Amino acid sequence: MPAAIAGGATIAAVVNTNRPRCAVGPPLPADQVLVVSESTDPPLNLSFATPSDSHRAIAERVVDLLPQGARLQVGPGALGTAVLDAVRAPVALDSGLLPEAVVDLDERGLLVGEAVATYLAGGPRLVEWADGRSLLHPLEHTHDATRLSTGTPLVAVNTALEVDEQGQVNVEGFPGASVGGVGGHPDYAVAATRSVGGLSVVAVTLEHQGRPTLVDRLSAPVSTPSHDVDVLVTERGCADLRGLDRHERSRAVRSLWDL
């Protein structure tokens, strides 16, 4: 959108007064906007599964890794919710998708400053909380590797459909079944590995829908390479992969699945 506007494109717009005012950035140029309709439809309600006991156990291990005053990135879904629920010390949030658990984090007095995000990922409670806050920034700001990797330590916490014994990550799908796109997983992982005091964490349950999450060979192309994964976390523990050679890395990863 910003590139199209800069190029002189005319924007066909639907004005909706039933949306939270939480975006950061200059207004659209009035001479490039054509209002084609008006609406008061509420935002769609985006809901996720409730965290399981496994997610809660993983989350407790993850928060033990957080340095004091960290910037935290989490993905949407049960694991991201569990991690925010488990936070015990103040953190800043710097994430692509902002999950609804941020509301509870703020109410517990553990949210430092204003969260930074590209999108809201939740329901009416999140929308109401977000209204009037300067939260949502353009993609080129939120996912900028230089911004993310400098300043306060960034801890990126992401999950996976599968990992292999080197810690390579698949978040996209299985043979014949596409689950999702690569998203911001590699953007935040690479920035966190280069953040002084930061960490790129991949947190994954031992199984996903009855399938082991540790595989000999990923079912899809590598979403995030092994050198952008610092720590792997499961219900059984943590494997710090930094500085390990290939043999040591394999042994550390497989030990989390008791192999």
Side-chain angles (χ1 to χ4, degrees):
M1 182 72 78
I5 294 170
T10 298
I11 308 302
V14 176
V15 176
N16 190 314
T17 56
N18 194 12
R19 291 288 192 273
R21 295 180 178 271
C22 57
V24 177
L28 297 175
D31 59 348
Q32 289 179 240
V33 177
L34 175 63
V35 176
V36 297
S37 180
E38 296 184 5
S39 173
T40 58
D41 292 341
L44 295 177
N45 183 15
L46 186 60
S47 60
F48 300 97
T50 301
S52 65
D53 290 343
S54 293
H55 292 127
R56 300 288 186 193
I58 292 171
E60 291 295 333
R61 297 185 186 279
V62 168
V63 298
D64 286 340
L65 301 172
L66 299 180
Q68 184 175 0
R71 278 182 300 154
L72 178 61
Q73 178 258 329
V74 297
L79 182 62
T81 296
V83 169
L84 293 186
D85 287 348
V87 167
R88 298 183 291 271
V91 295
L93 283 188
D94 201 328
S95 202
L97 292 171
L98 193 63
E100 193 157 310
V102 66
V103 182
D104 294 316
L105 187 73
D106 189 29
E107 290 180 349
R108 288 170 14 232
L110 298 177
L111 178 63
V112 176
E114 203 75 275
V116 175
T118 321
Y119 307 102
L120 301 179
R125 186 166 176 248
L126 176 62
V127 169
E128 181 180 358
W129 174 86
D131 192 34
R133 300 173 183 265
S134 299
L135 300 173
L136 302 186
H137 300 255
L139 190 72
E140 57 268 26
H141 174 81
T142 55
H143 290 58
D144 180 71
T146 300
R147 183 190 71 83
L148 288 169
S149 61
T150 55
T152 305
L154 173 69
V155 178
V157 182
N158 290 289
T159 190
L161 297 175
E162 298 173 332
V163 296
D164 67 13
E165 64 179 25
Q166 291 300 314
Q168 297 186 119
V169 175
N170 165 25
V171 300
E172 297 178 62
F174 303 109
S178 177
V179 175
V182 65
H185 200 298
D187 297 322
Y188 286 94
V190 69
T193 62
R194 288 148 180 80
S195 171
V196 176
L199 280 175
S200 171
V201 179
V202 170
V204 60
T205 54
L206 297 171
E207 292 186 349
H208 177 76
Q209 297 183 352
R211 299 167 59 113
T213 47
L214 178 63
V215 296
D216 293 330
R217 183 172 181 175
L218 299 180
S219 301
V222 175
S223 307
T224 298
S226 59
H227 56 259
D228 290 332
V229 178
D230 290 326
V231 180
L232 186 62
V233 182
T234 72
E235 304 96 307
R236 289 205 177 121
C238 302
D240 189 335
L241 306 178
R242 292 171 292 178
L244 302 185
D245 63 26
R246 291 299 180 185
H247 177 72
E248 293 167 336
R249 197 176 183 95
S250 174
R251 185 169 56 193
V253 170
R254 292 173 67 84
S255 69
L256 293 178
W257 277 260
D258 199 24
L259 298 175

